[in-house]
Amino acid sequence: MSKKDKKLISKYWITVIVFAVLTVVLNLMAFSKSFCDWYAVTVYRGINAVVGTLTGWCRIAIGEIIMYVGAALLVLLVILGIVRLILFKKKAFGLFYKKYAKSCLAIILAFLFVYTTNWLIPIRGNVLRVSDNTRTIYTNDEVQAVRDIVVLRLNEIAAQIDRDESGNVIVDYTQEEIFEIMRARSDEFPKLKGHYSPAKKALCSAVLDMMGIGGYNYIYTMEPTYNKYMSELYNPVAISHELCHHKGYYLENEATFISAVTLAESDDLYCQYCGYLEIYRYINPVCKKNYIMSRLNDPKLKEDFAPLIEYFSLDPDRDYSNTFMAGLLYEFMFPSLDETVIQDTIYAQEKSEEAYRQDVNEKVEEIISEPVTKIADKGWEVQGEILKENIYDGMVLMVLQYYYNE
């Protein structure tokens, strides 16, 4: 081995060790939540602006291409490793494989370092406080009151929003408007200040749709992406949600809460509609579950349910379960969405499904949908175990703390 080769090897291992040590040190520092909070609004904001500006010019998500290339390199590493075992005595191939493996190691370490600076540190800060109210327990009536406000507001917007000649909601928003809506709330949510990268349509939108994923952030290129097959009444929320992650609010309850509330309280009627629909999507099931559970052992349940038998033309001789009776009572007793709101959501969903069907080959979907769905289910399960109360549903508590601030 020449002196030149020895120097190259020495520089390689020094670089590897330096990046490995830096990654470990930064992860140890990230045990301090105050450090993570400071980092998110200083260092991370700078990285976000620089990298996001460099990648934002391209309409295609560069990070997605890198992901595919990285996956191919790892698969090739395994295949070449098997070949190396078979051709053990071939020194030339062994030397090639060694160099290739070292290159992969360097790439992996670089990714770990970038993920540390761009994700692991920001996500380990303190959870967002939406108000001075830190209460975590609310009565059924309190939850129901917020839900009813949301329902009434949705019904009001449905009557005011612009519609076409067929009576369908006119899609009316731009990403730049969403940027401004979010930036305007940066006094309350400091990480929302500064640069915003455009959210790009994911090339793998069909796969994301099968997995029930609305969007994804490429941490190493600071690129938010979204599933292009989503309902137009959910699309602004999904874009805002991914932008929240992009700005450093990486916990799902934080991003879900901020995206819904900032849109709902904006000056744009279309964004308001989308934001309130998102709040309703989370709070209504909680209200319904709470009500049903409170009535399951109520001796007056059948008596209260009796008038609904004739009203809904039900079979008077049938023995209905307590769950069914309580559920129907819930739908009857509390303010409900106007038929216009329901039809708006159905129409928007049908349009998104039609676009999906036009683009996605049925045979391909049949082959990949089952394994993709299984992977997604496992992924959601793991995410839930890691995030715990900071999962998507955790936004309901934030909404309650926000509305009951005083």
Side-chain angles (χ1 to χ4, degrees), residues 7 11 23-24 34 37 72 75 79 90 101 135 171 176 186 239 257 297 363 374 377 392 401 406:
K7 285 183 179 179
K11 287 180 180 179
T23 301
V24 171
S34 59
D37 291 338
V75 171
I79 294 172
K90 300 290 183 179
R135 186 155 56 110
V171 177
E176 287 71 23
S186 59
I239 290 173
F257 167 79
N297 297 314
K363 290 185 179 179
K374 288 182 178 179
D377 290 343
Y392 300 88
Q401 291 173 335
E406 297 181 359

Side-chain angles (χ1 to χ4, degrees), residues 337-352:
L337 295 177
D338 286 348
E339 186 63 25
T340 305
V341 180
I342 296 171
Q343 289 304 314
D344 286 344
T345 57
I346 291 174
Y347 176 75
Q349 186 60 37
E350 287 176 345
K351 279 187 65 178
S352 66

Side-chain angles (χ1 to χ4, degrees), residues 238-251:
I239 290 173
S240 178
H241 182 105
E242 295 308 321
L243 287 171
C244 286
H245 289 329
H246 171 67
K247 297 299 292 179
Y249 289 107
Y250 280 113
L251 295 175

Side-chain angles (χ1 to χ4, degrees), residues 141-159:
D141 289 342
E142 287 176 319
V143 181
Q144 190 68 49
V146 174
R147 179 262 183 197
D148 292 350
I149 291 172
V150 172
V151 169
L152 294 175
R153 185 62 188 132
L154 281 169
N155 292 341
E156 289 174 357
I157 295 172

Side-chain angles (χ1 to χ4, degrees), residues 326-376:
L328 196 58
L329 273 168
Y330 173 82
E331 300 294 343
F332 183 77
M333 291 178 61
F334 298 101
S336 59
L337 295 177
D338 286 348
E339 186 63 25
T340 305
V341 180
I342 296 171
Q343 289 304 314
D344 286 344
T345 57
I346 291 174
Y347 176 75
Q349 186 60 37
E350 287 176 345
K351 279 187 65 178
S352 66
E353 290 174 0
E354 181 182 351
Y356 176 88
R357 292 300 169 197
Q358 288 177 350
D359 292 347
V360 180
N361 183 282
E362 290 186 10
K363 290 185 179 179
V364 173
E365 181 187 31
E366 186 178 341
I367 294 171
I368 69 173
S369 62
E370 185 175 348
V372 162
T373 301
K374 288 182 178 179
I375 293 171

